[in-house]
Amino acid sequence: MKKSSFLLAAMLAAVIGTGFAPAFTSTAFAQQAAEEKKPDTTVRPEFMKAIPELQKLLDEKKYAETEEKLKTLDAMDKKLPYETFMLHRFRAIIASSTNNTELLAASFSAMIDSPYLKDAEKLRLMEGLAGTYYNEKQYDKSISWGQRFLKGDPKNASMNSMIAKAYYLKADYPATIQKVRDILAQNKADGVKPAEETLKLYASCYQHQKDMNGYASVLELMVEFYPTRELWSDLIYRIQSKPGFSDRLRLDMYRLLVTNGTIDDGAQYIEMAELALLAGLPAEAKQAVEAGYSAGLLGTGKEAAKHKQLRDRANKQAADDLKSLDAGEASARSAKTGLGLVNTGYNYVISGQAEKGIQLMEQGLVKGGLKFEDEARLHLGMAYLKSGNRDKAKEVFASIKSTDAADLGRLWLLTRPAAQN
């Protein structure tokens, strides 16, 4: 048996931390105990005489002889309750010293069921058994004792975590998932950040069950609390790979990748720039190209000349577009649908005029006639985030009905500047 800190703490409580001292048979003492409603700790003189010898045998590590002596005491007629408790306590010491977990469990269980330990001491014994069985890979028993412990200390983080891991190690993934959900719910109620280990365990359960939707949902939690480039890349890839994901949102996917600093291929910057140009957003195309140059992924190698051509094209179109923004706004206002107002507004946002752009986008949505309204709402939410109004962005994202756009909106609420990752 691999001993643990659980067991050491438990044994200290069992051996010296009971808070009760035995007394010899006394009518006055028994009457006093009854009056004070305390458990009777009476021990007969003939029983008490054996205690020093038992202690000596334990000090000399003569466990077999100690057990024989205990059997003799156990055979005494009409044992008093506290005498029985003392026998269990001695056997617990023997069990711990000889790695006899079953004897330890039996002794601890009897001591816990007795009136001679305080509640805190009983909890330490339960904790000790749960930890001991866990170390011995007897996960069912570990879980059983752990659950019994939690009845007295339901919010104990260490025990809840150990039970979740025990379920996982016995390959009971549904039970692990439920336990982790309970832990996360308690974390949220207490305003506590989930442990990274807990989230990794959660994700692994879904992977074992080949539940990629569940796995993606855990990735969202992980990027919220423990973001890395790798996690963001994996999450965005899985959102994009969902059946039915609209190819129209490919530019939005790149926007998330850039924002979270997870693009590591020059071809991705090029595709993003080309998509932005096709969408009539040359200012964004320019930003994508410049980001690629800053990352050292564009402007070098055999394709350097092509990169320069794209850069020049994006710069020229962005400059021309900036000059015509006001004219574009006037044209959008006179259009039959709100599409022009939404697009012109987003152009203003990209060009650094977020407040004006948001107003136009809101007017475009009110005007209506939009074939892809959810995309417009997605971009409006992104505009509010750029302006620093997170609450309004959250409200707009919540109004999106299509799954793929809603997925991206939810991810935008998790984004941080790349420098913070």
Side-chain angles (χ1 to χ4, degrees), residues 388-409:
N389 193 338
R390 181 180 176 84
D391 289 339
K392 188 62 179 178
K394 189 174 182 180
E395 177 185 323
V396 173
F397 288 144
S399 71
I400 296 174
K401 298 177 181 178
S402 65
T403 301
D404 45 8
D407 284 342
L408 293 179

Side-chain angles (χ1 to χ4, degrees), residues 345-410:
Y346 194 66
N347 244 329
Y348 273 115
V349 172
I350 293 170
S351 301
Q353 300 182 59
E355 185 175 346
K356 182 174 183 178
I358 287 172
Q359 288 178 355
L360 291 176
M361 295 178 77
E362 290 276 19
Q363 291 169 17
L365 281 166
V366 171
K367 193 170 188 179
L370 302 175
K371 185 176 181 180
F372 302 102
E373 184 176 328
D374 280 340
E375 288 182 31
R377 292 186 180 281
L378 174 64
H379 298 155
L380 177 60
M382 291 159 56
Y384 273 117
L385 278 182
K386 285 180 179 290
S387 72
N389 193 338
R390 181 180 176 84
D391 289 339
K392 188 62 179 178
K394 189 174 182 180
E395 177 185 323
V396 173
F397 288 144
S399 71
I400 296 174
K401 298 177 181 178
S402 65
T403 301
D404 45 8
D407 284 342
L408 293 179
R410 198 169 56 252

Side-chain angles (χ1 to χ4, degrees), residues 3 73 161 316 325:
K3 295 181 182 178
L73 292 174
S161 177
K316 183 178 185 307
L325 270 179

